[in-house]
Amino acid sequence: MTVVLKVDRWNPDRRALAEARSVLSSGGLVAFPTETVYGLGANGLMGDAVSAVYKAKGRPSDNPLILHVGSPEDAEKAAFADARARSVMKSFWPGPLTLVLPARPAVPKEVTAGLSTVGIRMPSHPVALALLQECPFPVAAPSANASGRPSPTDAAAVEADLKDGVNLILDGGPTDLGLESTVIDMTGPVPILLRPGGFPLEALEDFLGPVALPEGESELKRSPGTRYRHYAPILPMRLWPPEDPFPLKLGEKAAYVGMISPKGKVRDSIIFKDPAAYARGLFAAMRTLEKLPVDLIVAQWPREDGIGLALRDRLIRASGGDIH
Ligand code: TXA
Ligand code: MG
C-alpha cells in the first residue's frame, strides 16, 4: 500500500519529513518533488534499497542513479571534487544541475551501476532540500516514472506509474521546471554535457568555458540512460517544425501540443505561452493526450536556445526522431 502525504512546498510538515526519513532509513522507497520532476528515492548507502528502485521502475540495471544531497559538503562525502567542481557547486547549487564526479568507495555499486563515477546533485525544491537535510545519508533517486515513460511532474503521475512499488509519496504539488536536471561529466579536462536539462548550457559555458557535446557511441555510452527510447507516451509522436506546412489531413486522428496553434484541424490541442511553460507542461500534456481516442500526438519542434535544447532532446527521444 502506498501512503500519500500532502506537504506544503514552502513549509513542509516536520512529521511528514520524519516519516519519509524513517521509511528511507529502513530501506523503503519515498517519492518526493524536486524543482525538475518527482524522484523515487532510496537510502543511497543501502545497496538493497537501491535495487528496489530499479525493480519498481523496471529500469535496466546498467543505468546509474543520481545521488541527491543537502549540501556540497555531503556531496564530497560521496565523490571526489576538485577546485573546479567545488566552484560549480558553490555557484549553481542548489539547482537543476547534476555533476558526474569520481565516486568514493562508500557509494554502493547499485547507485553507480558499476561505474567508477557518481552523478550528484543538490536540488532547490524546498521539500526535497528539507528531506535531504533531515536524512543522515544521501538519497539515490531517478525520476519516479516507470522506465521509458514521461517523467512525473505531479504526485498523480507517480501513483499511476508505480502503483504499489513505492511506500510513501510526498505530494508537494506540480514541479517547477518539468524537465530533468542538466547532467555534466566533470571527470576530464573538458566538461561534457551528458544530458541537456533544466540548467541552461549557456550559463554553464559562461562559467566554465566550452562544454563538449557527446558525439558518437563512446560518449553516449558514458551516460547509459541516453541509449534507451525514453519519456514516451503510449501513442506515437511526430514533431512539427513550424517553418514547414502543418500536415493538414491529420484531423480527428491527431492531438497536438506546442506553442503555436496549428493551422490544420486536430482532435484536441494544448498550447503553451512560451518555452518555459512548454517545458513545464510537456510531460503532463503527453499523459493527458495519450488518453484521447487519437492515433498520434503531434508536438511542435522548438528553437534550440535556453530550455529549448532540453525540450528538443526529450521530444526526439519520445518520438524516436520522427520529425513530421
Ligand atoms: O532532475 C533530475 O535529474 C531527476 C530528479 C529526480 O533529480 N532525476 C533524474 O534521474 O532524471 P534519472 O535516473 O531519470 O536520470 C539520470 C541520468 C541518466 O541519464 C543516467 O544515465 C545519468 O543521469 N547518470 C547518472 N549517474 C551517472 C554516471 N555516473 N555517469 C554518467 N551518467 C550518469
Ligand atoms: Mg528518468
Side-chain angles (χ1 to χ4, degrees):
M1 248 269 295
T2 304
V3 175
V4 182
L5 291 178
K6 282 216 187 292
V7 285
D8 176 354
R9 68 166 277 150
W10 295 116
N11 186 19
D13 176 17
R14 306 305 314 176
R15 276 167 311 179
L17 297 175
E19 175 62 21
R21 171 189 168 156
S22 137
V23 171
L24 291 169
S25 297
S26 57
L29 305 188
V30 175
F32 59 97
T34 81
E35 70 277 30
T36 57
V37 300
Y38 272 72
L40 177 63
N43 181 335
L45 299 179
M46 278 175 78
D48 287 350
V50 177
S51 293
V53 169
Y54 286 84
K55 185 152 174 273
K57 281 179 62 88
R59 180 177 177 108
S61 60
D62 63 351
N63 189 8
L65 307 187
I66 295 172
L67 275 186
H68 294 67
V69 292
S71 68
E73 293 69 41
D74 284 349
E76 291 205 42
K77 291 178 194 155
F80 297 99
D82 58 11
R84 183 184 57 169
R86 279 195 190 130
S87 69
V88 171
M89 292 178 195
K90 190 158 177 268
S91 305
F92 299 132
W93 279 4
L97 179 63
T98 296
L99 306 183
V100 171
L101 297 170
R104 289 189 189 272
V107 180
K109 63 177 187 326
E110 290 82 358
V111 173
T112 62
L115 298 176
S116 60
T117 57
V118 61
I120 302 206
R121 89 174 183 102
M122 176 183 176
S124 63
H125 193 289
V127 174
L129 209 46
L131 174 65
L132 293 164
Q133 289 170 353
E134 169 86 19
C135 291
F137 43 77
V139 174
S143 49
N145 52 291
S147 190
R149 295 276 295 146
S151 296
T153 55
D154 58 30
V158 176
E159 258 189 296
D161 268 24
L162 299 182
K163 312 244 161 32
D164 288 336
V166 51
N167 302 97
L168 173 64
I169 301 176
L170 295 179
D171 178 357
T175 58
D176 311 322
L177 296 170
L179 299 181
E180 304 80 355
S181 63
T182 300
V183 181
I184 69 163
D185 181 334
M186 301 272 299
T187 58
V190 178
I192 303 172
L193 179 73
L194 297 180
R195 179 178 72 181
F199 193 89
L201 179 61
E202 293 87 342
L204 262 179
E205 291 203 306
D206 282 348
F207 190 81
L208 283 173
V211 171
L213 304 182
E215 278 168 39
E217 266 300 291
S218 59
E219 277 92 356
L220 268 183
K221 278 206 183 103
R222 301 173 72 149
S223 194
T226 55
R227 281 206 307 274
Y228 306 97
R229 184 170 181 250
H230 232 102
Y231 316 112
I234 302 164
L235 296 174
M237 271 187 88
R238 190 185 295 175
L239 308 180
W240 173 56
E243 55 280 10
D244 292 357
F246 191 77
L248 284 169
K249 43 185 195 315
L250 290 174
E252 293 290 313
K253 287 183 306 189
Y256 171 85
V257 58
M259 297 173 286
I260 301 174
S261 293
K263 295 244 162 43
K265 189 169 155 46
V266 289
R267 169 76 166 66
D268 233 310
S269 56
I270 298 179
I271 310 293
F272 295 107
K273 71 173 193 313
D274 56 27
Y278 193 7
R280 190 179 309 121
L282 175 65
F283 287 146
M286 288 181 188
R287 287 175 182 267
T288 301
L289 297 177
E290 72 181 4
K291 297 192 183 84
L292 297 175
V294 293
D295 298 339
L296 178 72
I297 298 173
V298 178
Q300 182 187 332
W301 184 235
R303 287 167 44 125
E304 197 181 24
D305 51 337
I307 194 70
L309 187 66
L311 260 172
R312 282 187 172 208
D313 174 79
R314 304 308 185 270
L315 287 167
I316 280 281
R317 291 176 203 286
S319 65
D322 187 359
I323 298 200
H324 130 85

